[in-house]
């Protein structure tokens, strides 16, 4: 039945497979086919890169690549056409914390204050990269449990990405 409120969807694959691009294609599809507000937290890229990635789908060119010669005005027009209104897409970049409670607070803010019905988190495993393996498991269990409860309580959709290791474990 597709993406449903109150559920978590987890996309997993090895590094370099294209998980972020797949997630971005879903974000674009949601923007084109619904009027939902969405929250986007891409932890490995800047807000500018995330925006240009989405707008690139609208323009059908990779406008994040400087050599493509896309003019700023073309990007702005595509942005306005895709986003429809200023309060529809809420982008957060990371680069300032790996505290799980801060990420949880940001997601709660997106849902309760910005009325985001869908939140995209790329990628949850990034939050645990500085931890030892035993701490990583504990950390991700804590975060996953909190996220699952929040999604259920607030009835929104959470679509996340996680890396797999060489053994196929998430």
């Amino acid at each position: 039945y597709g993406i449903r409120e109150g559920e978590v969807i987890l996309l997993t694959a090895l590094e370099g497979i294209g998980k972020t691009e797949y997630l971005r294609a879903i974000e674009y599809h949601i923007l084109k086919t619904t009027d939902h507000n969405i929250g986007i937290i891409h932890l490995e890229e800047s807000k500018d890169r995330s925006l240009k990635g989405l707008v690139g789908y609208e323009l059908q060119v990779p406008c994040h690549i400087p050599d493509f010669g896309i003019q700023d005005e073309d990007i702005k027009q595509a942005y306005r056409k895709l986003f429809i209104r200023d309060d529809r897409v809420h982008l957060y970049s990371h680069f300032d914390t790996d505290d799980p409670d801060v990420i949880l607070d940001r997601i709660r803010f997106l849902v309760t204050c910005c009325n985001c019905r869908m939140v995209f988190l790329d990628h949850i495993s990034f939050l645990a990269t500085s931890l030892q393996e035993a701490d990583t498991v504990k950390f991700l269990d804590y975060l996953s449990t909190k996220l699952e409860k929040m999604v259920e309580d607030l009835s929104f959709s959470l679509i996340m990405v996680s890396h797999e290791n060489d053994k196929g474990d998430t």
Side-chain angles (χ1 to χ4, degrees), residues 5-25:
E5 291 182 1
E7 292 187 0
V8 175
I9 297 171
L10 179 64
L11 307 171
T12 66
L14 295 171
E15 289 186 48
I17 297 295
K19 295 177 298 298
T20 298
E21 203 55 44
Y22 185 74
L23 191 68
R24 194 181 332 276

Side-chain angles (χ1 to χ4, degrees), residues 110-129:
L110 289 170
V111 174
T112 60
C113 297
C114 302
N115 197 30
C116 294
R117 300 313 324 141
M118 296 183 182
V119 176
F120 297 87
L121 175 59
D122 182 23
H123 57 86
I124 190 171
S125 42
F126 181 83
L127 296 170
T129 54

Side-chain angles (χ1 to χ4, degrees), residues 18 50 77 119 121 144-145:
S50 295
Q77 285 179 2
V119 176
L121 175 59
S144 298
T145 302

